[in-house]
Amino acid sequence: MLKDKHWIKADFAACGGLCPLFRKEFEAAEKPVKATLEITAKGVYYAEIDSKRVGDFILAPGWTTYEKRLQVQVYDVTGLIKAGKNTLDVTISEGWYHGNIINPHKKAAQNDWDAAIIACLTLTYADGKTQEIDTDESWFCGKGAVQYADIYNGEIYDARVCGGEFVPVTVDLQASTETLIPQEGEKIVEHEVLAPIELIVTPKGEKVLDFGQNLTGYPAFCLPDAKAGEKISLSFAEILDKDGDFYNENYRDAKCQYLYTCRDGAQSYKPHLTFYGFRYIRIDEFPSSIPFSPDYFTAIAVYSDIRKTGELISSDKELNQLFSNIFWGQKCNFLDVPTDCPQRNERLGWTGDAQVFVKTATYNYDTERFYRKWMSDIAAEVGIAGKIGMIVPNNSPDTISAEAWSDAAVIVPWQVYLSYGDKALLERQLDSMTTYVETVIREGYNHHFGDWLGLDAPAGSYTGSTRPELIAQAYLAYDFELLAKAHEALGRDGSRYRVLHEEAKNKFRTDFTDYRTQTEHVLALHFGLAEDAAKAAAGLVQLIHENNDHLTTGFVGTPYLLHALSDNGYTELAYTLLLQKSYPSWLFSVRLGATTMWEHWDGINEKGEVWSKDMNSFNHYAYGAVGDWVYGKACGIQIPEDGAGFAKVRVAPLPDKRIDSLQASIDTRHGKVSSKWYHKDGKTRYEITVPVCAEIVIDGKTHKVEAGTYLF
Ligand code: BGC
């Protein structure tokens, strides 16, 4: 596993910004019967053998807490090696290791970029003999065709460069191999390939391709001809502004370049070491020697290799678009780590966003392996600082915890366990869950985001009006409860956390005798903290009515808002909010043409104006957390806590007259569970399939059933 190999470095690239190409030429005595390349890099890399790409992993080795863990990839390259002379090329860029995504303070502490790779190519011949090609002093490095690449700033590529000046590498005998681990997460790969749906000439006269879907990935082109030195330069955007002009000020400082210099003849290209978040691309420059055609371009969606397991379908077109936006929001932000957004200068593993969306995420896709890796990074960060901060992997030198964000350390492992049922994974995570909670007990939280982006925020504030101390106390109580359950699920003593939970609940009741915002009510209800749930629910209903049946909740309140209503007898109002079309609501963005989830309820306002350029992503999955209410309450698919992984199932649908039919299904570890209801001849009908023993609750009546399909 490369532990006994050596890192080789391209010293000329240490200042950053360059993308060294490492080259090794070698002779194969004959065509090997097997060839395996083990490799990783301090940055992101792609490898080629005789100009053919090795594997399909984009942006390998992915992003981990590099101080502790760096994944090694193993590729079967048998088909790429020929008898005689071969060339192995590896191009790297700073990526998540040392690129602009790393906070400048952390970068300053890291000093120069250690532009290094470590690899071993093993050839096995027919007679059983093997030949090893390791990273050593026989390698060379130089500047290749990738002139520049950065996660935020895009890629510059010169197709005329086919081999520059090469110098010997430096073998770094001091560099440790201790952090190397086998690939743990899903690899990142290409998925959907979209053709442009329209070539728009904007009022400003700019040529813009519309791919019809906001996505994460990159455009590719294939040209029949061009002249050396001609250029293709593209810019990216998620939306057009109210006049129909290209708009990407919301990308902030992320330059998102795509600058390609042609060689002579037919050619094709897609970036290698970056990604973009976009629906529209503006053609800033195109070879004058050939007529422009949109047909030269495609957009390729790139994300972790997660398998779709969930389905949400309704009779309502706008709801279906919302469901599609939830799925796309997930795909776009599941690029090796669960990120906030894929386009501006963030794209970070924000822990708050991750925890509010984890339940929906585990139903929509099989994300167990994806989260397994991210949870290892949570554990690694807890190992470093005793807690996690706002972002995992941490891109800054400090670890600043915040309630509802850092509590992902507890909430994510517990939900992943509930959804997939792997006790060993929960066991593995228990230490970091416990250490994190004990640190919060000792130190409290270091920062408050409040009900982030709540609409009851005072003007100019992002944090909503919900009292941060209330959120903190509610989340601490929730952590205690989940930690107690986790201990008990593993057959351990959870009594310390049961007691702490009781104390925290009592303190919440003493400290907060009234609830002042929708989110305050929601937390008190959903976390079981309200002394008088009926009164709290009535209070929530009143606030919603006072706001004309609209929500005001932000990141903290929104995920539980509909649960708090339907769990307390107000299902109809929950549907009113789900189906609400006017601002603020889920369907408001759908009505304005959204194809992914917006960060803000008013990313674009009723006048068609953008609310701000500073904090305005059109691809944040957080509000997509409403998906778990549709699976779990509207369609009623639930996991009893003694049925982790859907070993047992409860289905208790809550239909509504305003939707003709609604259907959800989840492909679980035990088979497919699905729940559909529709109205026919004045009656509500149900079709429910369960793969295991289940409890089906229809109109308040409980039916105990075996695996099978049932009609009511
Ligand atoms: C991110 C969020 C994140 C937040 C912290 C933002 O800039 O995009 O999604 O949770 O900061 O409040």
Side-chain angles (χ1 to χ4, degrees), residues 190-329:
E190 294 183 349
H191 292 266
E192 295 88 343
V193 178
L194 305 183
I197 59 164
E198 196 185 349
L199 168 63
I200 301 168
V201 179
T202 66
K204 281 191 181 154
E206 295 172 334
K207 222 181 263 170
V208 172
L209 292 177
D210 176 5
F211 288 92
Q213 173 63 54
N214 202 13
L215 58 90
T216 301
Y218 38 67
F221 67 75
C222 185
L223 295 185
D225 196 18
K227 289 203 168 61
E230 288 184 318
K231 289 190 165 46
I232 294 186
S233 169
L234 309 176
S235 298
F236 299 82
E238 295 180 286
I239 57 161
L240 301 179
D241 71 10
K242 71 174 180 0
D243 302 319
D245 279 314
F246 187 81
Y247 175 89
N248 67 1
E249 282 179 38
N250 61 325
Y251 288 31
R252 307 195 305 212
D253 286 339
K255 288 200 192 89
C256 305
Q257 300 162 93
Y258 182 111
L259 180 58
Y260 174 89
T261 305
C262 300
R263 52 180 163 71
D264 277 324
Q267 53 206 290
S268 58
Y269 164 77
K270 54 192 179 190
H272 306 76
L273 297 168
T274 191
F275 65 90
Y276 312 80
F278 66 102
R279 168 175 170 169
Y280 300 95
I281 61 172
R282 185 178 62 197
I283 314 293
D284 296 326
E285 212 175 328
F286 190 78
S288 55
S289 64
I290 51 167
F292 178 80
S293 165
D295 299 343
Y296 299 142
F297 290 90
T298 52
I300 304 175
V302 171
Y303 48 89
S304 291
D305 205 6
I306 46 177
R307 182 176 63 89
K308 189 162 183 270
T309 48
E311 196 148 40
L312 297 172
I313 307 170
S314 81
S315 52
D316 182 304
K317 224 175 124 199
E318 290 182 327
L319 263 191
N320 288 342
Q321 183 63 49
L322 172 66
F323 299 156
S324 168
N325 297 357
I326 294 171
F327 281 91
W328 271 103

Side-chain angles (χ1 to χ4, degrees), residues 69-123:
R69 300 157 26 80
L70 176 55
Q71 298 181 120
V72 173
Q73 289 70 49
V74 180
Y75 302 96
D76 180 346
V77 292
T78 315
L80 298 180
I81 311 278
K82 59 180 188 309
K85 197 181 145 215
N86 293 269
T87 304
L88 169 58
D89 281 344
V90 184
T91 304
I92 69 170
S93 75
E94 292 168 287
W96 294 291
Y97 193 89
H98 197 260
N100 285 301
I101 201 161
I102 298 302
N103 173 298
H105 298 293
K106 184 165 178 175
K107 251 174 106 153
Q110 283 176 340
N111 300 320
D112 288 345
W113 179 30
D114 208 358
I117 63 164
I118 188 166
C120 173
L121 173 63
T122 308
L123 310 182

Side-chain angles (χ1 to χ4, degrees), residues 287-510:
S288 55
S289 64
I290 51 167
F292 178 80
S293 165
D295 299 343
Y296 299 142
F297 290 90
T298 52
I300 304 175
V302 171
Y303 48 89
S304 291
D305 205 6
I306 46 177
R307 182 176 63 89
K308 189 162 183 270
T309 48
E311 196 148 40
L312 297 172
I313 307 170
S314 81
S315 52
D316 182 304
K317 224 175 124 199
E318 290 182 327
L319 263 191
N320 288 342
Q321 183 63 49
L322 172 66
F323 299 156
S324 168
N325 297 357
I326 294 171
F327 281 91
W328 271 103
Q330 177 166 356
K331 291 191 274 194
C332 293
N333 285 296
F334 270 52
L335 200 144
D336 210 44
V337 302
T339 58
D340 56 336
C341 61
Q343 75 298 79
R344 70 179 179 218
N345 54 346
E346 294 218 44
R347 315 186 196 185
L348 300 163
W350 280 98
T351 47
D353 309 42
Q355 71 84 2
V356 302
F357 189 64
V358 60
K359 194 168 181 177
T360 306
T362 55
Y363 292 173
N364 286 344
Y365 291 88
D366 184 346
T367 51
E368 189 176 21
R369 184 169 178 186
F370 174 90
Y371 280 121
R372 176 189 294 268
K373 162 183 168 283
W374 194 61
M375 294 190 314
S376 293
D377 290 311
I378 288 181
E381 301 284 353
V382 171
I384 294 169
K387 59 187 170 186
I388 59 167
M390 308 161 176
I391 293 164
V392 173
N394 196 353
N395 74 333
S396 94
D398 309 310
T399 304
I400 300 168
S401 67
E403 70 274 358
W405 267 251
S406 309
D407 300 309
V410 178
I411 297 166
V412 171
W414 176 248
Q415 185 59 50
V416 170
Y417 165 67
L418 275 187
S419 295
Y420 301 114
D422 183 356
K423 276 200 178 154
L425 185 52
L426 184 64
E427 178 78 52
R428 194 198 73 168
Q429 211 65 26
L430 192 68
D431 248 8
S432 70
M433 295 164 81
T434 310
T435 305
Y436 166 76
V437 167
E438 291 294 337
T439 303
V440 178
I441 294 172
R442 277 198 319 277
E443 298 176 6
Y445 297 103
N446 312 129
H447 183 78
H448 304 297
F449 285 115
D451 184 19
W452 185 247
L453 307 185
L455 292 173
D456 45 15
S461 157
Y462 288 139
T463 60
S465 283
T466 295
R467 288 165 285 178
E469 316 79 55
L470 182 145
I471 305 177
Q473 187 61 26
Y475 266 90
L476 190 56
Y478 188 43
D479 282 350
F480 290 149
E481 187 186 3
L482 296 189
L483 197 51
K485 286 180 180 174
H487 275 83
E488 288 157 9
L490 295 169
R492 293 166 181 251
D493 177 12
S495 57
R496 169 172 166 74
Y497 300 104
R498 285 277 165 216
V499 172
L500 284 168
H501 175 242
E502 221 29 53
E503 287 171 9
K505 185 162 81 179
N506 292 335
K507 181 165 164 50
F508 183 93
R509 289 177 177 176
T510 316

